[in-house]
Amino acid sequence: MNRSTSLIRRHKTAIGAGLACVAALGTFATATGANAATAPAHTAHAHSAGAAQTDNTPYVMNHAGEENADKGKAERSPERLVLSEFTSVGDLNWKQWGAKKAVATGKVTGMWCGQACLDKPLKGTLTLSDPKTLNGKKVFSAFTLKLAGGSGAYDSEDLQGKHPLATS
């Protein structure tokens, strides 16, 4: 087996593992959503982003939920968002959704903090940035996540600084 075949095989394995994690997070989010009848409604804040949204306002490609795990869904001001194969945010309260960036506070969960995050999600501030036009649609292509009271460095996921965001 040559180096190229080995590299392709590793990439396919990583992508498969990432999609499995996204599906698991989507399943968790779907199960959490099923309990929404007993929880207070969180949809009113999803569109309180401050600035009026226009056709030029970017979307974010969201892979939350089993139905969006593979292809993603273009959304503005979503209530929950999959940031990577390891990290997801929910209960998003959008403070800003503009042409250059979007800012929200929410609850962070991830494979890197295991059951502790599922039981008690971490609070954080999410900033989406770097809009790009892809397939005729403007989408944010990067995110920054600042956790309240934490450094952001974990064994399996480094949340410090700017990270790429799925654009398809």
Side-chain angles (χ1 to χ4, degrees):
M1 174 171 26
N2 66 29
R3 180 174 160 78
S4 177
T5 303
S6 175
L7 184 60
I8 290 170
R9 204 173 267 163
R10 280 189 278 164
H11 281 246
K12 285 182 179 180
T13 301
I15 290 169
L19 289 174
C21 290
V22 167
L25 286 171
T27 301
F28 168 73
T30 302
T32 302
N35 295 328
T38 60
H42 294 289
T43 55
H45 62 39
H47 297 289
S48 63
Q53 296 176 357
T54 67
D55 287 341
N56 197 32
T57 305
Y59 292 87
V60 63
M61 292 307 293
N62 196 355
H63 292 268
E66 197 172 331
E67 68 279 9
N68 300 318
D70 292 335
K71 295 184 180 180
K73 179 181 177 185
E75 295 183 313
R76 290 180 176 137
S77 306
E79 186 175 336
R80 64 180 195 232
L81 181 63
V82 172
L83 298 175
S84 73
E85 64 270 26
F86 300 111
T87 306
S88 183
V89 291
D91 284 338
L92 287 167
N93 185 1
W94 294 97
K95 307 295 184 192
Q96 175 184 352
W97 192 283
K100 301 279 185 195
K101 71 178 182 176
V103 181
T105 57
K107 296 179 180 176
V108 182
T109 60
M111 304 300 273
W112 40 267
C113 63
Q115 190 63 37
C117 280
L118 294 177
D119 292 340
K120 187 177 179 187
L122 304 170
K123 293 179 182 176
T125 300
L126 170 66
T127 302
L128 306 179
S129 61
D130 300 347
K132 296 184 185 219
T133 302
L134 300 167
N135 300 322
K137 192 170 279 197
K138 197 170 187 181
V139 295
F140 288 113
S141 68
F143 75 91
T144 304
L145 184 62
K146 292 185 181 178
L147 297 177
S151 69
Y154 295 89
D155 288 343
S156 60
E157 179 101 353
D158 180 4
L159 297 173
Q160 297 180 44
K162 190 182 285 190
H163 296 275
L165 189 60
T167 55
S168 62

